[in-house]
Amino acid sequence: MEPTPETDPRTRRRGTPGTATGAARTEVSVPAVPTVPSSDLATDPFRADRDRISTSPFFARLGGVTQVVSAGGSGLLHNRLTHSLKVAQVARAIAERLLAQPETAGLAAKLGGLDPEVAEAAALAHDLGHPPFGHLGERVLDRIARHRFGLADGFEGNAQTFRILTTTDVRGPSAVGLDLTAAVRAAVLKYPWARLHYPDPHPSGLPVLPRGAGEPEDAPGTGSGKFSAYSTELDDFAEARAPFADRIEWWQQTVEASVMDTADDIAYAIHDLQDFHRIGVLQHAPVAAELGGWLRHAVELAGLDERTLLAEGGGPGRSLERLRRRLHAKDSWIVDDEAFASAVAVVRAELVDGLLGSAFDGSIESEQALAAFSARWTSRLVGGVLLVSSPPTRSGHVALSPAQWHEVQVLKFVHRRFVLLRPDLALHQRGQASLVSTLVDALDAWLADRDEAYRLPRRLRDLVELAHTEYSDLAGRAPELLVGATGEPVRGADAVHGLARGRAVIDFVSSLTDKQAVSLLDALSGRASQPWSESFVL
């Protein structure tokens, strides 16, 4: 008999009878406001989840958060909101395509289920935790969280997303999180583990590491570089994953999370290149020289030893050859030299000789060329999506076929090599990193000022109270999870309060838009000419 919404564990919300850990989570949460009845317009629980996400102010703020560089109000560059909308569009297309094939739909059901509404909801939510200035802000806040505040969990955009959905957003009926179904919460878990302690065994101990489970090269001993839950949200994590325990491996994404992840890769590979062609940053000549140089000298480049290759790092084709070698080292399960060469040739023809062959001049012809490129590549990549029953450790159940996988790697290489590594972007980002760090210092100093603490933004005070309740609960219920950045146990009321204060400041700063972060620091630094009146609390 098919499960109904009342009996399907995928549709259960926090604290629903029959779930594993909802009661404990509810005890940790404190709302200081009365609960409110559900105002969902949709009767389908998954569609209701999608609506709750899309109407959240955390979702709306993504319109002011950097995708790669700040749009500056031009409307020409993607921000995190427009990116999320496109990921949702691609995720739904992938889900519907897989469900249209009876064999694939049957396999998806065996693996725990696939619903287009769940995939779309997860795609809309996947970037909620991104702080001001995108990945740059993420790295800065992680370093500050670990080094300044002693938070072993640090900061991670995916884990912050899960925290928003389950804790810091208050628009759900319980006024704690959005009270989403288990399926949607699980679908947001792109890296289904915590940084250090959970689950046990931790995926960082597997013979072959899942993507993201390894330690960052520049921060050994700090745990997985990517993860999707902090210690404070582990009960929600366990509850969300419980319906899939006998369907997929403990370290694997759900099918719907894998759809979201694949859609994110597709959108990222295509749309950011469009942006930088549109504003004239992505130029034909250097990209053509790199791809063409590798195609002409592939055999010669393959024969170079590592030292020689690095010494000649500026020559055409050298960077692409280093990519080929990195793929062999990390993704030997799929990488193939013939497929790689074919992907380079296809990208050279489609992107370099095609799209970049003519400068974008704002004409109808240029706009049509850009739209055609996007539509053609989106269709090509979505058409290459596969659902597999037993994927390699480095892949999810939903994956691209080898040809399209190699093409995405080359497209992402072009973006990184000719946009992200530009010195002028580095200069811009160093200033943003300094801004985020100084803003955290200023807010922390305000919290420590007993004479002025009562005038703190109310939202920041609420976040301190919430975090203090959470960390106090962990200290009594699961003290093994309450450790500092050095791995030492955290004991004593003052130490617990210190962790809570740090998490609250990080929560607060990460919830700002780029512009709000700049304006708030101006006000705190005395540079604002008038009292700052823009509402910045979420």
Side-chain angles (χ1 to χ4, degrees):
M1 185 173 67
E2 289 293 321
T4 66
E6 291 74 23
T7 61
D8 186 353
R10 286 166 43 90
T11 66
R12 287 177 182 157
R13 302 187 185 278
R14 178 191 298 146
T16 301
T19 57
T21 56
R25 185 72 182 95
T26 305
E27 290 168 8
V28 178
S29 320
V30 226
V33 294
T35 57
V36 295
S38 172
S39 58
D40 296 326
L41 298 178
T43 55
D44 179 276
F46 300 144
R47 184 160 186 170
D49 282 1
R50 188 199 66 181
D51 292 349
R52 291 183 187 186
I53 292 165
S54 65
T55 56
S56 164
F58 286 90
F59 183 70
R61 73 168 273 275
L62 294 179
V65 179
T66 292
Q67 170 71 6
V68 177
V69 297
S70 297
S74 68
L76 297 177
L77 300 179
H78 281 81
N79 52 51
R80 287 285 162 185
L81 178 62
T82 55
H83 167 73
S84 296
L85 292 172
K86 290 188 176 182
V87 174
Q89 179 188 40
V90 174
R92 189 174 191 95
I94 291 173
E96 290 175 347
R97 180 178 180 276
L98 293 176
L99 290 172
Q101 307 165 42
E103 182 177 345
T104 306
L107 176 58
K110 291 179 181 178
L111 293 171
L114 173 58
D115 189 295
E117 301 287 0
V118 174
E120 185 176 359
L124 289 172
H126 84 283
D127 269 351
L128 289 180
H130 263 289
F133 314 119
H135 288 296
L136 179 278
E138 185 178 24
R139 291 192 296 272
V140 173
L141 287 179
D142 179 51
R143 185 170 63 249
I144 292 171
R146 289 185 290 107
H147 295 170
R148 180 183 178 91
F149 296 125
L151 292 163
D153 284 335
F155 178 85
E156 210 283 337
N158 294 279
Q160 193 69 20
T161 291
F162 196 66
R163 180 166 172 77
I164 288 167
L165 294 174
T166 60
T167 304
T168 59
D169 199 331
V170 299
R171 270 70 183 181
S174 67
V176 180
L178 290 181
D179 196 22
L180 304 177
T181 60
V184 171
R185 279 180 284 152
V188 175
L189 298 171
K190 186 175 180 178
Y191 306 99
W193 51 81
R195 186 167 206 153
L196 290 165
H197 304 97
Y198 192 88
D200 187 14
H202 195 268
S204 60
L206 291 172
V208 177
L209 298 181
R211 285 184 305 116
E215 292 182 342
E217 293 181 1
D218 60 346
T222 60
S224 294
K226 306 297 292 182
F227 56 99
S228 286
Y230 300 129
S231 297
T232 46
E233 279 72 52
L234 289 184
D235 44 6
D236 267 309
F237 177 104
E239 185 182 272
R241 293 279 295 185
F244 306 91
D246 59 348
R247 305 296 187 97
I248 56 177
E249 296 291 343
W250 52 273
W251 45 266
Q252 289 178 328
Q253 300 168 335
T254 66
V255 172
E256 290 146 337
S258 194
V259 169
M260 175 270 288
D261 192 8
T262 303
D264 190 23
D265 250 9
I266 290 173
Y268 175 83
I270 298 170
H271 299 131
D272 287 343
L273 293 177
Q274 286 181 271
D275 282 354
F276 294 102
H277 169 59
R278 184 189 290 273
I279 63 173
V281 169
L282 196 60
Q283 296 287 325
H284 176 274
V287 183
E290 179 67 27
L291 272 59
W294 187 87
L295 287 169
R296 287 191 300 273
H297 304 291
V299 175
E300 174 189 337
L301 291 169
L304 297 178
D305 60 60
E306 286 294 324
R307 179 175 297 181
T308 303
L309 185 66
L310 289 172
E312 300 178 8
R318 269 63 174 180
S319 296
L320 199 51
E321 173 60 21
R322 290 199 295 273
L323 170 68
R324 187 190 68 83
R325 296 185 187 191
R326 284 197 302 273
L327 294 179
H328 272 283
K330 289 189 173 183
D331 293 295
S332 58
W333 59 277
I334 190 172
V335 70
D336 175 83
D337 285 339
E338 287 188 11
F340 183 81
S342 177
V344 175
V346 169
V347 172
R348 161 97 190 241
E350 289 275 336
L351 175 66
V352 181
D353 298 337
L355 186 65
L356 302 183
S358 300
F360 183 87
D361 60 6
S363 65
I364 292 176
E365 184 180 3
S366 289
E367 291 286 4
Q368 288 178 330
L370 207 58
F373 175 85
S374 175
R376 188 165 60 250
W377 271 95
T378 302
S379 178
R380 176 181 180 82
L381 296 179
V382 170
V385 169
L386 307 170
L387 180 64
V388 293
S389 58
S390 300
T393 307
R394 294 271 301 166
S395 176
H397 287 284
V398 178
L400 292 167
S401 65
Q404 280 88 345
W405 183 88
H406 285 82
E407 289 162 5
V408 165
Q409 304 312 309
V410 176
L411 288 169
K412 290 166 73 173
F413 161 82
V414 171
H415 178 242
R416 175 174 172 76
R417 173 68 179 79
F418 298 101
V419 176
L420 297 184
L421 296 182
R422 288 173 60 102
D424 47 357
L425 179 58
L427 178 67
H428 186 60
Q429 290 181 327
R430 286 182 67 84
Q432 292 173 335
S434 177
L435 186 154
V436 172
S437 181
T438 305
L439 178 57
V440 170
D441 289 345
L443 289 170
D444 188 46
W446 193 354
L447 271 169
D449 186 344
R450 294 185 178 182
D451 293 332
E452 285 290 315
Y454 74 97
R455 294 209 294 170
L456 280 165
R458 178 61 186 270
R459 175 63 175 165
L460 181 53
R461 279 189 285 164
D462 288 347
L463 287 171
V464 171
E465 291 178 13
L466 171 64
H468 187 264
T469 301
E470 292 177 306
Y471 283 112
S472 297
D473 176 80
L474 278 180
R477 180 170 57 87
E480 70 278 5
L481 297 179
L482 203 63
V483 297
T486 61
E488 294 296 317
V490 172
R491 296 188 178 92
D494 288 344
V496 169
H497 182 71
L499 293 182
R501 192 170 94 179
R503 179 56 67 194
V505 172
I506 297 295
D507 281 342
F508 186 82
V509 172
S510 68
S511 72
L512 301 174
T513 65
D514 297 1
K515 182 179 178 181
Q516 287 170 342
V518 172
S519 299
L520 180 55
L521 183 58
D522 281 347
L524 288 167
S525 304
R527 294 193 295 265
S529 59
Q530 297 180 6
W532 191 49
S533 59
E534 181 182 355
S535 175
F536 59 87
V537 288
L538 286 169

